[in-house]
Amino acid sequence: RQAQEPPVRQAQEPPVRQAQVSQGWEIKKLGEVLKLEYGKPLSNDKRISNGIYPIYGANGEKGKTNEYYYDKKTIIVGRKGSAGEINLTEERFWPLDVTYFVTFDEKKYELLFLFHLLNYLELTKLAKGVKPGINRNEVYSISSRFPPLPEQQRIVAILDEAFAAIATAKANSERCLSLSKALFESYLQGVFSNGKLKIENGEWEEKKLNQISENLDSKRIPITKNVRDKGSIPYYGASGIVDYVAGYIFDEDLLCVSEDGANLLARTYPIAFSISGKTWVNNHAHILRFENIISQKYVELYLNSIKLDDFVSGMAQPKLNQAMLNKIPIPLPSLAEQQSIVQKLDALSSETKKLETIYQNKLHNLEELKKSILQKAFNGEL
């Protein structure tokens, strides 16, 4: 139905309900409503940490200065880099030359109405080029529906209330998501912290990694991307699968441990991961073979629970070489206790992943709700 159509993003005029026309809604191109003014460069000597006025770049505030270029609160649109990103500004500010700042007739248009509209129109989709940028003439050519100023203000009041509730719901979901991850990490830490006490009491042993595993690094074969034969065999690098190839080197259960890369310190992804079946591994991951899969899984869990900073060399290009890998001490219980620990941690991991899925879905649904409300707002349906 015409009533369900979103704001038109082309130059041609869309069909409009008669009710909207009678209430004073008008179809206008953005170029008739607002202007995107170019930001200006600012020398480094004018950027002062304790300055008075904010400096705005394409994706938000970028420091302070004691000078201002524009003296009204308005909207910053990323022109280059974070092209199309939308931010509200302070009353007085300096817009850098990677931005546009918005000027408009305040007697006809509400600032926050325009802010919500520009967010809804997703100007980032207009970004082009190697260093993405947006052309303001393309923005100007977009058409949308504009109600009278009092109706804009009413819509903004509704959006503010709805978005405040959505923000609260998102914050709660993000907190629950964080807690579900922390639950597993806390239990994991507890298991291995307790293991140190058991070593002191003689209940567990402490062994170096090379005492309980066989290193197969010499069998690794890296293949540059342009000469790989495409296939269905996983090709592993430092943080997991990076490609699929036609051949394989290994066909068994093995443990890979990252050899290099920022993730060794950042720990965004697991640095130890099990592989099985036909696989190919390049020279960015160490390869370890264990006598049994239980010990392999136990060591995988342990390595992912501890910091390895003391064994990693280099900050710009972190590396865990084989000699340092071999020195990592492993708190080792009996095989039966290893199995019990692995089973409990696997069960807990499965439950926390279910929780994470639930809260990720909640966050996605809240974003979709926000888009739905915006669509109704700019169709005159609130």
Side-chain angles (χ1 to χ4, degrees):
R1 292 188 300 115
Q2 289 180 346
Q4 300 298 322
E5 291 183 0
V8 177
R9 301 168 192 245
Q10 295 84 25
Q12 69 267 26
E13 294 187 355
V16 186
R17 296 183 304 175
Q18 185 61 38
Q20 288 178 331
V21 175
S22 64
Q23 293 170 8
W25 285 68
E26 297 179 284
I27 299 173
K28 292 186 177 183
K29 293 179 180 178
L30 290 186
E32 300 175 75
V33 173
L34 56 82
K35 296 299 178 186
L36 297 178
E37 310 283 0
Y38 286 104
K40 298 292 180 182
L42 184 67
S43 59
N44 288 332
D45 62 310
K46 293 184 178 180
R47 303 183 188 208
I48 304 167
S49 59
N50 60 348
I52 302 171
Y53 307 111
I55 303 166
Y56 280 93
N59 60 351
E61 190 173 328
K62 295 296 181 183
K64 298 284 187 179
T65 179
N66 282 335
E67 300 181 24
Y68 65 87
Y69 184 77
Y70 193 66
D71 64 353
K72 293 180 181 179
K73 187 174 182 179
T74 188
I75 302 162
I76 285 284
V77 179
R79 184 170 72 90
K80 292 182 178 179
S82 297
E85 187 165 323
I86 311 297
N87 286 283
L88 281 172
T89 68
E90 299 296 331
E91 186 172 350
R92 292 176 174 177
F93 65 96
W94 190 287
L96 295 176
D97 54 341
V98 293
T99 70
Y100 297 116
F101 65 95
V102 175
T103 59
F104 60 96
D105 186 344
E106 296 176 21
K107 294 179 180 179
K108 294 182 179 180
Y109 302 102
E110 163 64 38
L111 171 64
L112 291 176
F113 182 87
L114 297 178
F115 173 73
H116 289 307
L117 176 61
L118 292 176
N119 268 307
Y120 175 65
L121 292 173
E122 297 179 330
L123 301 184
T124 52
K125 292 180 179 178
L126 299 178
K128 296 182 178 70
V130 178
K131 295 182 178 180
I134 61 171
N135 185 306
R136 62 180 178 176
N137 289 326
E138 288 192 55
V139 178
Y140 290 162
S141 69
I142 299 172
S143 294
S144 189
R145 301 177 175 95
F146 293 89
L149 183 59
E151 179 66 4
Q152 293 177 37
Q153 292 166 339
R154 186 187 76 86
I155 289 170
V156 166
I158 294 172
L159 292 179
D160 284 349
E161 184 177 356
F163 289 173
I166 289 173
T168 299
K170 283 185 68 177
N172 288 337
S173 292
E174 286 167 350
R175 180 172 177 271
C176 289
L177 177 60
S178 178
L179 287 173
S180 68
K181 293 178 179 178
L183 173 66
F184 179 75
E185 293 299 323
S186 176
Y187 185 77
L188 191 66
Q189 293 293 334
V191 167
F192 294 120
S193 296
N194 189 41
K196 294 178 181 179
L197 295 174
K198 291 189 175 185
I199 290 172
E200 293 173 5
N201 295 333
E203 299 174 51
W204 289 14
E205 296 180 275
E206 182 175 276
K207 293 194 174 183
K208 297 294 190 289
L209 194 51
N210 65 333
Q211 294 178 294
I212 57 173
S213 66
E214 179 186 358
N215 189 293
L216 304 181
D217 285 2
S218 61
K219 298 181 182 295
R220 301 176 302 182
I221 304 175
I223 320 172
T224 54
K225 189 172 183 178
N226 60 339
V227 296
R228 290 177 204 157
D229 293 327
K230 294 292 182 181
S232 59
I233 305 299
Y235 179 81
Y236 287 91
S239 298
I241 297 173
V242 294
D243 204 350
Y244 290 87
V245 294
Y248 65 93
I249 305 174
F250 306 104
D251 189 6
E252 57 184 310
D253 292 315
L254 298 166
L255 181 67
C256 290
V257 181
S258 302
E259 179 171 344
D260 50 33
N263 189 53
L264 281 170
L265 300 177
R267 303 302 284 270
T268 307
Y269 310 101
I271 58 105
F273 51 94
S274 289
I275 63 175
S276 61
K278 292 181 172 64
T279 55
W280 196 301
V281 184
N282 67 21
N283 59 335
H284 295 291
H286 298 292
I287 309 167
L288 304 177
R289 176 192 284 152
F290 291 80
E291 289 185 1
N292 57 77
I293 192 64
I294 295 169
S295 294
Q296 177 181 314
K297 292 295 294 181
Y298 174 84
V299 171
E300 178 184 355
L301 288 165
Y302 178 71
L303 291 178
N304 285 325
S305 76
I306 62 170
K307 287 188 174 183
L308 296 177
D309 299 31
D310 293 341
F311 301 92
V312 174
S313 59
M315 295 299 292
Q317 298 292 332
K319 185 176 181 66
L320 174 64
N321 62 41
Q322 189 178 136
M324 296 306 291
L325 177 73
N326 290 338
K327 292 180 180 179
I328 298 174
I330 308 293
L332 204 65
S334 66
L335 190 60
E337 194 166 355
Q338 289 178 44
Q339 185 172 22
S340 175
I341 290 170
V342 168
Q343 287 174 342
K344 288 177 181 177
L345 287 170
D346 280 349
L348 182 59
S349 175
S350 177
E351 290 303 313
T352 54
K353 284 176 181 176
K354 288 179 185 177
L355 286 174
E356 288 171 18
T357 299
I358 289 170
Y359 289 112
Q360 291 285 11
N361 286 338
K362 285 181 180 290
L363 290 169
H364 172 75
N365 291 338
L366 287 167
E367 278 301 309
E368 290 302 306
L369 175 60
K370 191 172 181 178
K371 291 178 183 178
S372 175
I373 293 171
L374 284 170
Q375 181 171 341
K376 288 180 179 295
F378 300 118
N379 277 338
E381 297 171 3
L382 283 184

